[in-house]
Protein backbone atom coordinates (compact mmCIF):
# COMPACT_ATOMS: atom_id res chain seq x y z
CA UNK A 1 0.00 0.00 0.00
CA UNK A 2 1.30 3.43 -0.95
CA UNK A 3 0.13 6.57 0.86
CA UNK A 4 0.49 10.29 0.20
CA UNK A 5 -0.44 13.04 2.65
CA UNK A 6 -0.63 16.66 1.52
CA UNK A 7 -1.49 19.77 3.52
CA UNK A 8 -1.54 23.51 2.98
CA UNK A 9 -1.32 25.12 6.37
CA UNK A 10 -2.92 28.32 7.62
CA UNK A 11 -0.72 28.81 10.69
CA UNK A 12 -2.63 30.18 13.67
CA UNK A 13 -0.87 28.44 16.56
CA UNK A 14 2.93 27.96 16.64
CA UNK A 15 3.84 29.83 13.48
CA UNK A 16 7.21 28.10 13.19
CA UNK A 17 7.99 25.26 10.78
CA UNK A 18 8.12 22.84 13.73
CA UNK A 19 4.35 22.44 13.46
CA UNK A 20 4.33 22.05 9.68
CA UNK A 21 2.21 19.23 8.33
CA UNK A 22 2.13 16.37 7.67
CA UNK A 23 3.34 16.13 11.26
CA UNK A 24 5.19 12.87 11.80
CA UNK A 25 6.18 11.16 15.03
CA UNK A 26 6.99 7.52 15.85
CA UNK A 27 5.34 5.94 12.83
CA UNK A 28 2.28 8.21 12.87
CA UNK A 29 1.61 11.06 10.42
CA UNK A 30 -1.13 13.66 10.91
CA UNK A 31 -2.78 16.17 8.58
CA UNK A 32 -5.22 18.38 10.42
CA UNK A 33 -7.64 21.23 9.73
CA UNK A 34 -9.02 22.99 12.80
CA UNK A 35 -8.04 24.27 16.22
CA UNK A 36 -7.90 22.82 19.73
CA UNK A 37 -8.85 25.73 21.98
CA UNK A 38 -7.73 24.11 25.23
CA UNK A 39 -4.52 22.61 23.84
CA UNK A 40 -2.34 24.23 26.52
CA UNK A 41 -4.15 22.38 29.31
CA UNK A 42 -3.83 19.09 27.40
CA UNK A 43 -0.18 19.87 26.68
CA UNK A 44 0.53 20.31 30.40
CA UNK A 45 -1.33 17.11 31.24
CA UNK A 46 0.54 15.10 28.63
CA UNK A 47 3.88 16.48 29.78
CA UNK A 48 3.03 15.47 33.35
CA UNK A 49 2.50 11.92 32.08
CA UNK A 50 5.95 11.86 30.51
CA UNK A 51 5.20 12.97 26.96
CA UNK A 52 7.93 15.02 25.32
CA UNK A 53 6.14 17.87 23.56
CA UNK A 54 8.57 19.82 21.36
CA UNK A 55 6.24 22.36 19.71
CA UNK A 56 4.08 25.22 20.97
CA UNK A 57 0.93 24.48 18.99
CA UNK A 58 -1.98 22.07 18.98
CA UNK A 59 -0.93 19.73 16.17
CA UNK A 60 1.51 17.72 18.25
CA UNK A 61 -0.93 17.69 21.17
CA UNK A 62 -3.64 16.17 18.98
CA UNK A 63 -1.26 13.54 17.64
CA UNK A 64 -0.16 12.61 21.16
CA UNK A 65 -3.76 12.32 22.38
CA UNK A 66 -4.62 10.01 19.50
CA UNK A 67 -1.47 7.92 20.06
CA UNK A 68 -2.25 7.45 23.77
CA UNK A 69 -6.06 7.32 23.90
CA UNK A 70 -7.38 6.94 20.38
CA UNK A 71 -10.76 8.38 19.46
CA UNK A 72 -11.99 8.36 23.06
CA UNK A 73 -9.48 11.11 23.82
CA UNK A 74 -11.35 13.46 21.48
CA UNK A 75 -14.33 13.54 23.84
CA UNK A 76 -12.23 15.59 26.29
CA UNK A 77 -11.06 18.10 23.68
CA UNK A 78 -12.65 21.50 23.13
CA UNK A 79 -12.30 22.53 19.51
CA UNK A 80 -13.12 21.84 15.89
CA UNK A 81 -11.29 19.49 13.58
CA UNK A 82 -11.15 17.32 10.53
CA UNK A 83 -8.02 15.23 10.38
CA UNK A 84 -6.41 12.24 8.79
CA UNK A 85 -4.01 10.06 10.76
CA UNK A 86 -1.83 7.50 9.01
CA UNK A 87 -0.83 5.04 11.71
CA UNK A 88 1.85 2.71 10.40
CA UNK A 89 2.13 1.04 13.82
CA UNK A 90 -1.47 -0.21 13.49
CA UNK A 91 -1.59 -0.46 9.70
CA UNK A 92 -4.55 1.86 9.38
CA UNK A 93 -5.72 5.31 8.31
CA UNK A 94 -8.17 7.13 10.58
CA UNK A 95 -10.17 10.15 9.42
CA UNK A 96 -12.21 11.95 12.09
CA UNK A 97 -14.51 14.96 12.28
CA UNK A 98 -15.49 17.11 15.25
CA UNK A 99 -18.70 16.44 17.16
CA UNK A 100 -20.61 19.32 15.52
CA UNK A 101 -19.26 18.77 12.01
CA UNK A 102 -17.92 22.32 11.77
CA UNK A 103 -14.99 21.18 9.63
CA UNK A 104 -15.84 19.26 6.43
CA UNK A 105 -14.25 15.95 5.50
CA UNK A 106 -15.11 13.95 2.37
CA UNK A 107 -13.85 10.68 0.96
CA UNK A 108 -13.99 8.30 -2.00
CA UNK A 109 -13.28 4.58 -1.81
CA UNK A 110 -13.07 1.79 -4.34
CA UNK A 111 -11.30 -1.57 -4.42
CA UNK A 112 -7.84 -0.05 -4.88
CA UNK A 113 -7.99 3.66 -4.05
CA UNK A 114 -8.99 5.76 -1.02
CA UNK A 115 -9.08 9.55 -1.21
CA UNK A 116 -9.81 11.96 1.65
CA UNK A 117 -10.07 15.73 1.35
CA UNK A 118 -11.66 18.84 2.84
CA UNK A 119 -13.43 19.53 -0.47
CA UNK A 120 -14.98 17.17 -3.06
CA UNK A 121 -13.27 19.19 -5.80
CA UNK A 122 -9.87 17.88 -4.69
CA UNK A 123 -11.10 14.29 -5.01
CA UNK A 124 -12.51 14.90 -8.48
CA UNK A 125 -9.29 16.63 -9.52
CA UNK A 126 -7.27 13.55 -8.57
CA UNK A 127 -9.71 11.17 -10.27
CA UNK A 128 -9.91 13.35 -13.37
CA UNK A 129 -13.71 13.25 -13.24
CA UNK A 130 -16.50 15.80 -13.13
CA UNK A 131 -18.95 15.90 -10.20
CA UNK A 132 -22.37 14.39 -10.87
CA UNK A 133 -25.34 15.04 -8.62
CA UNK A 134 -27.37 12.10 -7.37
CA UNK A 135 -30.83 12.11 -8.91
CA UNK A 136 -32.64 11.63 -5.60
CA UNK A 137 -30.63 14.49 -4.07
CA UNK A 138 -31.65 16.71 -6.98
CA UNK A 139 -35.31 15.84 -6.36
CA UNK A 140 -34.91 16.80 -2.70
CA UNK A 141 -33.29 20.08 -3.66
CA UNK A 142 -36.05 20.99 -6.13
CA UNK A 143 -38.75 20.07 -3.61
CA UNK A 144 -37.28 21.69 -0.50
CA UNK A 145 -34.57 24.08 -1.71
CA UNK A 146 -31.94 22.42 0.45
CA UNK A 147 -29.58 19.46 0.30
CA UNK A 148 -30.20 17.73 3.62
CA UNK A 149 -27.34 15.79 5.24
CA UNK A 150 -27.79 12.07 4.71
CA UNK A 151 -27.63 9.97 7.91
CA UNK A 152 -25.73 7.31 5.97
CA UNK A 153 -22.89 9.69 5.12
CA UNK A 154 -23.76 9.96 1.43
CA UNK A 155 -23.45 13.40 -0.12
CA UNK A 156 -25.40 14.91 -3.01
CA UNK A 157 -22.52 13.87 -5.31
CA UNK A 158 -22.23 10.38 -6.76
CA UNK A 159 -19.38 8.39 -5.26
CA UNK A 160 -18.53 10.99 -2.61
CA UNK A 161 -19.25 10.36 1.05
CA UNK A 162 -18.62 12.46 4.13
CA UNK A 163 -17.30 11.58 7.56
CA UNK A 164 -20.30 12.26 9.78
CA UNK A 165 -20.11 14.70 12.72
CA UNK A 166 -18.76 13.06 15.85
CA UNK A 167 -17.60 10.09 13.79
CA UNK A 168 -14.50 8.62 12.24
CA UNK A 169 -13.81 6.15 9.46
CA UNK A 170 -11.08 3.61 10.01
CA UNK A 171 -9.43 2.08 6.93
CA UNK A 172 -7.59 -1.19 7.51
CA UNK A 173 -4.74 -0.96 5.00
CA UNK A 174 -4.02 -4.70 4.89
CA UNK A 175 -7.61 -5.89 4.48
CA UNK A 176 -8.67 -2.75 2.60
CA UNK A 177 -11.84 -2.57 4.66
CA UNK A 178 -13.43 0.58 5.99
CA UNK A 179 -15.36 0.85 9.25
CA UNK A 180 -17.54 3.74 10.40
CA UNK A 181 -17.18 4.56 14.09
CA UNK A 182 -19.05 7.07 16.26
CA UNK A 183 -17.11 8.45 19.20
CA UNK A 184 -19.36 11.35 20.33
CA UNK A 185 -23.07 12.13 20.41
CA UNK A 186 -24.74 15.44 21.22
CA UNK A 187 -27.65 13.66 22.87
CA UNK A 188 -25.39 12.32 25.61
CA UNK A 189 -24.78 15.89 26.78
CA UNK A 190 -28.33 17.18 26.58
CA UNK A 191 -28.64 17.10 30.36
CA UNK A 192 -25.82 19.66 30.60
CA UNK A 193 -27.90 22.47 29.07
CA UNK A 194 -27.66 25.39 31.56
CA UNK A 195 -30.51 27.70 32.60
CA UNK A 196 -31.17 30.77 30.37
CA UNK A 197 -29.80 33.19 32.97
CA UNK A 198 -26.32 31.70 32.44
CA UNK A 199 -26.29 32.53 28.72
CA UNK A 200 -24.25 35.76 29.00
CA UNK A 201 -21.51 34.09 31.01
CA UNK A 202 -21.41 31.12 28.68
CA UNK A 203 -21.10 33.36 25.64
CA UNK A 204 -18.24 35.29 27.21
CA UNK A 205 -16.42 32.09 28.14
CA UNK A 206 -16.94 30.59 24.68
CA UNK A 207 -15.63 33.70 22.91
CA UNK A 208 -12.58 34.02 25.18
CA UNK A 209 -11.70 30.35 24.67
CA UNK A 210 -11.62 30.93 20.92
CA UNK A 211 -9.26 33.91 21.10
CA UNK A 212 -6.24 31.64 21.57
CA UNK A 213 -3.95 32.59 18.71
CA UNK A 214 -0.36 33.49 17.84
CA UNK A 215 -1.70 35.95 15.26
CA UNK A 216 -3.78 39.08 15.61
CA UNK A 217 -7.47 38.31 16.13
CA UNK A 218 -10.38 39.95 14.32
CA UNK A 219 -14.11 39.67 14.90
CA UNK A 220 -16.65 39.87 12.09
CA UNK A 221 -20.28 40.63 12.89
CA UNK A 222 -22.88 39.52 10.33
CA UNK A 223 -26.04 40.69 12.17
CA UNK A 224 -27.07 37.05 12.59
CA UNK A 225 -28.24 35.45 15.81
CA UNK A 226 -24.75 34.50 16.97
CA UNK A 227 -23.25 37.90 16.12
CA UNK A 228 -26.09 39.68 17.89
CA UNK A 229 -25.51 37.60 21.00
CA UNK A 230 -21.79 38.38 20.96
Amino acid sequence: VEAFLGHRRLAILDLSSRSAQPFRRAGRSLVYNGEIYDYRAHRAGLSAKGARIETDGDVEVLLEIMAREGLSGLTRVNGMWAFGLLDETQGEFVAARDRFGKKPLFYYLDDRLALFASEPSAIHAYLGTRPRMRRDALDTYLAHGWLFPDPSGRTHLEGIREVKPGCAVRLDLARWSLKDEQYATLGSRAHEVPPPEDLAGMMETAVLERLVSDRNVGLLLSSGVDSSLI
Side-chain angles (χ1 to χ4, degrees), residues 112-223:
R112 65 179 185 84
L113 184 65
L115 302 172
F116 294 82
S118 294
E119 297 181 1
S121 58
I123 296 176
H124 285 293
Y126 187 90
L127 293 173
T129 58
R130 298 182 63 181
R132 296 183 59 183
M133 182 174 284
R134 287 177 22 232
R135 177 60 184 269
D136 56 334
L138 179 60
D139 292 342
T140 300
Y141 179 76
L142 293 175
H144 303 287
W146 188 257
L147 295 172
F148 298 106
D150 193 311
S152 72
R154 292 193 305 170
T155 70
H156 61 288
L157 299 175
E158 290 184 1
I160 304 295
R161 301 179 66 86
E162 67 173 346
V163 178
K164 295 177 291 186
C167 293
V169 293
R170 194 184 298 271
L171 177 64
D172 186 312
L173 299 177
R175 297 182 175 87
W176 203 248
S177 61
L178 187 141
K179 181 175 67 174
D180 196 358
E181 186 174 337
Q182 185 173 28
Y183 67 86
T185 60
L186 297 182
S188 64
R189 306 188 65 174
H191 65 282
E192 300 177 13
V193 176
E197 56 267 23
D198 293 343
L199 178 58
M202 289 183 58
M203 287 296 299
E204 182 176 359
T205 299
V207 171
L208 291 176
E209 287 177 342
R210 284 156 177 76
L211 294 181
V212 179
S213 174
D214 291 328
R215 293 191 182 275
N216 293 331
V217 175
L219 181 65
L220 301 178
L221 302 179
S222 63
S223 298

